[in-house]
Amino acid sequence: MTSSNSSGSGAAMQNDSSGLASITVSSRIPEFWCDKPRLWFVQTDAILGPQKLSDESKYNLVVAKLGKEVIQQVSDILLKPPETKKFEALKSRLLQVYEESEIRQFQKLLSEMELGDQKPSQLLRKMKDLARDKIPDETLSIMWQGHLPASVRAVLAVTDVKNLENLAAIADKVMETSRSQQISEIRANTSSSNDTALILAEIAKLNLRINDLESKKSTFRNHIRRARSRSTSRQRNMRRRAPDSADWLCSYHYRYRNRAKKCIEPCAWNKNNQGN
């Protein structure tokens, strides 16, 4: 009785250990990459290989990483899986559906490759992945260098290095140097722009001061004109009030003319208008 219980406990512990191992392995496998199915299986095989799992376990782990759209592409296998080699059948179908054809890969290699913000070595790896060893390194090198800046191509043209990986390393260093120089030039231009902005700001301040002085000068001139006008008016009034003129009028007749009701002598109004 004791031996039977021990055997049962051992089997249960083994099953628990196997289940825990499957959970750990599953957490390390990413969701299926529709755009890179072969690379996804390379990584998945690297994770599953050391575990020595059964075909059924590997099959189930892969199914757990498939999204809805992918499931629809393998629904016949999932609903009626083969008796043996389930994992291989699922892998073959996923590669068949999602891996680009050689023609499509060659089209991308010819017309859709750009350096962009990548390093030259990163671009080369992508191109080699599309070429799949079907294009000689000499041809691939020419195609790859065609996407590089002229300054980088000029350096590669005079080097004796032929190995593509070594050429890519050289191209990376040249690009890093070029970008450092560009950053320095941008900083220098920025500094120059800042100096120009400061000069323009000082000129603007001077213009404001000049405008302010011109405004004050104009105001001062207007004050002088008004003062002179008032002085002239007072002088005229003083001349009018001088009684030594023959046609001098008193303040009433000077202001109201024939409507004046008073008169202060001497006043020439009555004398000049006696005949009217």
Side-chain angles (χ1 to χ4, degrees), residues 10 30 44 61 86 96 151 160 194 201 203 209:
T44 301
L61 285 171
K86 295 180 182 179
Q96 177 186 346
S151 58
D160 294 331
N194 290 337
I203 292 174
R209 290 175 184 172

Side-chain angles (χ1 to χ4, degrees), residues 56 80 90-91 99 102 125 128 153 238 272:
E56 181 79 20
K80 192 176 181 180
L90 186 59
K91 178 180 179 179
E99 192 170 36
E102 291 184 2
R125 291 189 193 101
K128 290 185 73 173
R153 294 200 304 270
M238 289 176 65
N272 293 336

Side-chain angles (χ1 to χ4, degrees), residues 112-151:
E112 298 182 21
M113 291 289 100
E114 292 183 0
L115 180 61
D117 295 330
Q118 304 175 95
K119 291 182 177 181
S121 58
Q122 292 173 324
L123 175 63
L124 177 61
R125 291 189 193 101
K126 289 184 178 180
M127 295 180 71
K128 290 185 73 173
D129 183 55
L130 292 172
R132 295 279 179 85
D133 298 326
K134 292 181 171 61
I135 297 178
D137 281 355
E138 293 79 5
T139 304
L140 188 62
S141 177
I142 295 172
M143 296 172 66
W144 167 65
Q145 292 187 43
H147 296 290
L148 304 181
S151 58

